[in-house]
Amino acid sequence: MTAMQTGAARATVTEMPEASLARARRFVDERHLTPDTWAAMREWYAAEPGRPFVVRGFLRPEWAQAMHSAMRDLPVWSRCATVYTNARDSAEIQEEEWEGNPNRAARHFVARPLGEALQNGTVPDAHRRTLEQFLAFCVLTDTLRDWISAGVGFPLEPRTSVELAAYRAGDRIRRHQDLFPGRVMAVNFYLDADHEPGTGGRLGFRNEAGHDELVEPYFNTLSMIPVREECWHWVEPYAGTGTGRYTVSIGQHLLGRPHQVRWEETQ
């Protein structure tokens, strides 16, 4: 994301703890570990109406490529079709029942049971190490949370939700809000090195003013969107060849606020 910064905005940026910054340098391109990035993030989160925050080339190239390879070769992709049971929650149904259901929510591949596969030797060692280290960076330690907090200016809850997803032709996520207690933003890593623009699968975001914005899932891009009562988001139908749009999605919650812990692979 490119944004004009003011001196006042830079002055409000909180620095990352040194331990987290050192860990982040293993994964994050150095261009995005700067006061300018955090100042841009501070302006983004405070802005009304809201909009997506998009960072191209977020990961160091070797990590982005390693994650693409690991996700492409995962042996535990399974189909997941869900329908909304109320304004916030969804339940899984048989895929053949999904297309005609008026309450359909999402349909795509999810990696499950991922934790078991990483422990029982199902995933090849090189990919297992890549996935374990990446999940430690973005979920199991405070590294990614501290990077976000350095920009937005408030701490995030260590417990969160994470989903590894992939798409084939026709897969999508319909418009929804994710208004779980304490959730303040959704974070997505796009990790399909073979992605071609124009093949669908864009993230859609509608803000408080009713304006729609679409985010192309370019390889090695990070997107963040605010979770607010007046905002909606979705994934438009994917139209690529074969399986693609490999994505790691993470829900972030405000520290100290109660919320539901949802490991999406269990759905």
Side-chain angles (χ1 to χ4, degrees), residues 22-244:
R23 289 194 299 267
R25 285 196 170 105
R26 289 192 57 214
F27 299 91
V28 180
D29 191 291
E30 196 72 27
R31 295 172 298 167
H32 309 306
L33 297 171
T34 66
D36 280 354
T37 298
W38 293 317
M41 199 186 310
R42 178 67 59 92
E43 291 184 352
W44 158 73
Y45 193 76
E48 294 184 1
R51 65 185 190 275
F53 186 86
V54 180
V55 184
R56 295 284 300 275
F58 180 73
L59 295 173
R60 294 171 65 94
E62 62 271 23
W63 273 106
Q65 187 60 52
M67 278 297 295
H68 162 81
S69 298
M71 294 184 73
R72 180 194 60 199
D73 294 341
L74 265 177
V76 289
W77 289 117
S78 67
R79 298 293 290 166
C80 181
T82 59
V83 295
Y84 293 117
T85 57
N86 55 47
R88 188 186 67 186
D89 300 310
S90 61
E92 190 166 351
I93 64 170
Q94 295 296 313
E95 183 174 3
E96 57 268 23
E97 302 171 3
W98 188 84
E99 192 64 50
N101 194 302
N103 299 316
R104 58 190 183 277
R107 183 182 65 186
H108 49 33
F109 292 97
V110 295
R112 60 181 179 183
L114 182 59
E116 180 181 329
L118 293 174
Q119 295 174 13
N120 65 14
T122 302
V123 179
D125 284 346
H127 292 337
R128 175 184 56 78
R129 288 191 294 269
T130 292
L131 290 162
E132 288 178 343
Q133 291 177 66
F134 184 81
L135 290 172
F137 153 66
C138 65
V139 177
L140 301 177
T141 70
D142 288 329
T143 309
L144 179 64
R145 289 186 290 273
D146 283 346
W147 179 82
I148 297 171
S149 293
V152 298
F154 54 82
L156 297 170
E157 175 66 51
R159 295 171 297 171
T160 187
S161 66
V162 61
E163 178 185 83
L164 275 64
Y167 294 69
R168 70 184 182 195
D171 286 352
R172 62 185 295 193
I173 301 176
R174 296 188 71 198
R175 196 178 73 162
H176 64 289
Q177 292 182 291
D178 285 351
L179 294 177
F180 300 103
R183 187 171 295 191
V184 291
M185 69 186 73
V187 178
N188 296 286
F189 291 89
Y190 304 120
L191 297 165
D192 182 2
D194 300 321
H195 173 73
E196 297 181 2
T199 56
R202 292 178 297 180
L203 170 70
F205 180 78
R206 176 168 294 177
N207 65 20
E208 302 94 314
H211 174 72
D212 290 355
E213 189 168 345
L214 295 168
V215 177
E216 187 76 47
Y218 290 112
F219 176 54
N220 195 14
T221 292
L222 173 83
S223 75
M224 298 193 296
I225 55 173
V227 173
R228 300 173 181 171
E229 289 187 3
E230 302 88 355
C231 297
W232 297 78
H233 58 279
W234 62 94
V235 174
E236 67 178 5
Y238 181 68
T241 301
T243 302

